[in-house]
Amino acid sequence: MSAKWVFLLMLGVAGCATRQPAYTSSGKEVLTVQKQVELYRNKPPIWPAKGRLVVIADKLVFIPTPHFGTLHIHGRDSTFIPLDDVARLEEKKWLLVFPFKLQVMTRDGLGYTFVSVRRDRLVREIRKLQGEE
């Protein structure tokens, strides 16, 4: 195999490795998509999953990217949070200074901690869907 074909093969593999999983929602209107959102899945909150957060009419969908910096992470699934199960939204400070943290608490007592620069827009969209505003 010549060096040209090896280079093209490596370029193709690199292009496929950076592709983000897609979420399709048949018949549902996508209201907001926020990129560069972090979701802290485990306690202690050390290793967040980075990705995008999609708000549709009846749920929040977090779609993780397969990359965290230069590391490639396998086995991360999307997180689905039905809006009917959301009990409260707590706006908090991230790193004790920045107003980017959002704690989504469900009726079963589960908590999802998101960090987004556009947190206020996200809270407005969720509350509008829940009929609170």
Side-chain angles (χ1 to χ4, degrees), residues 7 24-25 29 58 62 66 82 110 119-121 133:
F7 176 73
T24 57
S25 161
E29 181 184 355
D58 59 345
F62 177 77
L110 295 174
R119 176 195 69 182
D120 296 334
R121 180 178 174 199
E133 285 188 3

Side-chain angles (χ1 to χ4, degrees), residues 45-112:
I46 298 171
W47 192 272
K50 291 188 178 184
R52 70 174 70 170
L53 187 64
V54 178
V55 180
I56 59 175
D58 59 345
K59 67 181 85 161
L60 297 172
V61 182
F62 177 77
I63 305 167
T65 57
H67 292 280
F68 186 86
T70 57
L71 299 175
H72 187 80
I73 301 172
H74 294 285
R76 288 295 191 177
D77 295 329
S78 296
T79 302
F80 297 90
I81 306 170
L83 288 177
D84 295 340
D85 291 346
V86 174
R88 66 182 187 275
L89 302 172
E90 298 177 7
E91 299 175 26
K92 297 184 177 183
K93 295 199 182 285
W94 179 63
L95 295 177
L96 303 174
V97 177
F98 304 107
F100 301 148
K101 188 174 180 182
L102 174 65
Q103 182 83 26
V104 177
M105 302 298 294
T106 61
R107 298 191 197 294
D108 356 348
L110 295 174
Y112 299 92

Side-chain angles (χ1 to χ4, degrees), residues 6-25:
V6 171
F7 176 73
L8 289 176
L9 181 64
M10 289 176 58
L11 186 64
V13 169
C16 293
T18 59
R19 191 174 291 174
Q20 185 167 352
Y23 174 76
T24 57
S25 161

Side-chain angles (χ1 to χ4, degrees), residues 20-41:
Q20 185 167 352
Y23 174 76
T24 57
S25 161
S26 59
K28 305 279 179 155
E29 181 184 355
V30 174
L31 302 174
T32 303
V33 176
Q34 290 193 6
K35 297 178 182 179
Q36 302 298 323
V37 176
E38 296 177 354
L39 171 61
Y40 290 90
R41 297 179 186 227

